[in-house]
Amino acid sequence: MRIVILGAGGKLGQLLEPRWPGEAVWTTRSDVDIADPNTLTRTLNGADAVFCLAGVTPGSTASMELNATLARQTLDAAQGAHVFLFSSAAVYGALQGPLTEDGPTSPQSPYGKSKLEMERLAARHPNPSTSLRLGNVAGADAILGGWKPGFQLDQFSDNTTPARSYIGPGKLARVLNALTRANTLPKIMNIAAPKTVSMGALLDAASLKWTPQPATDRTIANVHLDTSTLERFTSFTDSDSTAAGIVADWKQGPRR
């Protein structure tokens, strides 16, 4: 099987590449210009599966419309290879969970709206694809990956901190690799460990000091992705959803 990963130079790609359990072709922006259809078509020639990590992230000065554009260019060049596009839990906004792929969406940010538009474009495109609604990935997130001395974290009146669907980078690499061998994949799939974990617990498990600050009415208490669909294709252990397990996965580093 020939697997090609586009946009591997970003934070997520750098976490996944050394942990990937098998062979794959990893390309960065300097290797492949996705905007050049001839170059992209040559790169994807003979591929069985394509992961498109390229895209605009929150805080970027680039237009969020580029997320749909990059997806379309990849799908156009894929020549029948199954394309995995990286969407986000941001398409759900502040909806109460567990959040299912066939349930409502309510993106609040330009980023979330752009990812939903990307999904809709992919659903209309004739090339086979799956949009992966990715939860937080340890190390590529704003909590563990974005920690700095003096880090402050929202805390509610009951002393709890926001909970999110998370996954460790090693587990994510194995899950994605397993999906390339699956049959009859859905058009949209949530990607995370089955249970949520609190942000404070993650920082504590990583021995990263933090200071609580009062949560505001804009603080989303819980974002829980329903992973029933994903669990048809791969399995999880209890530790995959615990703060200790997720942090251990992140700190373990490359594993083949």
Side-chain angles (χ1 to χ4, degrees):
M1 173 171 284
R2 185 170 189 263
I3 302 170
V4 179
I5 291 89
L6 302 172
K11 185 178 291 186
L12 183 58
Q14 291 177 43
L15 285 169
L16 290 175
E17 182 174 2
R19 295 171 169 86
W20 195 264
E23 296 300 318
V25 178
W26 298 81
T27 69
T28 65
R29 185 182 303 175
S30 61
D31 301 320
V32 179
D33 180 5
I34 295 180
D36 180 350
N38 292 326
T39 298
L40 187 56
T41 299
R42 286 196 300 271
T43 300
L44 301 186
N45 182 43
D48 300 290
V50 177
F51 290 91
C52 184
L53 301 179
V56 182
T57 55
S60 172
T61 58
S63 171
M64 289 293 169
E65 294 179 358
L66 189 59
N67 284 324
T69 299
L70 292 171
R72 177 182 52 76
Q73 290 166 339
T74 301
L75 289 164
D76 286 347
Q79 308 171 80
H82 196 96
V83 174
F84 295 90
L85 299 168
F86 281 78
S87 186
S88 167
V91 301
Y92 294 116
L95 293 173
Q96 296 297 306
L99 302 161
T100 61
E101 295 92 342
D102 58 356
T105 54
S106 183
Q108 303 297 304
S109 65
Y111 173 71
K113 293 175 183 177
S114 74
K115 287 297 188 179
L116 188 58
E117 177 55 33
M118 181 200 74
E119 291 182 6
R120 290 169 175 167
L121 178 150
R124 298 190 300 266
H125 199 281
N127 198 85
S129 68
T130 300
S131 292
L132 306 175
R133 290 179 176 172
L134 187 61
N136 287 281
V137 181
D141 61 322
I143 304 302
L144 298 174
W147 181 89
K148 295 178 181 179
F151 191 90
Q152 294 184 310
L153 181 63
D154 287 356
Q155 188 177 67
F156 299 101
S157 58
D158 62 357
N159 294 327
T160 61
T161 58
R164 297 288 184 269
S165 284
Y166 258 83
I167 191 168
K171 181 63 178 181
L172 176 60
R174 296 189 294 277
V175 165
L176 297 178
N177 185 264
L179 291 180
T180 66
R181 300 186 296 275
N183 295 318
T184 320
L185 287 164
K187 297 295 290 183
I188 298 172
M189 191 184 304
N190 289 334
I191 304 291
K195 299 177 183 178
T196 60
V197 62
S198 75
M199 295 177 174
L202 284 169
L203 291 171
D204 291 342
S207 299
L208 298 174
K209 294 183 178 180
W210 56 281
T211 302
Q213 63 181 9
T216 70
D217 56 2
R218 297 185 61 187
T219 304
I220 302 175
N222 191 17
V223 179
H224 183 192
L225 302 184
D226 183 294
T227 58
S228 299
T229 301
L230 176 62
E231 290 176 80
R232 301 204 315 257
F233 301 97
T234 190
S235 61
F236 291 87
T237 64
D238 290 341
S239 66
D240 289 328
S241 290
T242 66
I246 291 166
V247 168
D249 180 327
W250 170 50
K251 288 190 171 184
Q252 185 172 18
R255 182 171 72 177
R256 293 292 185 182

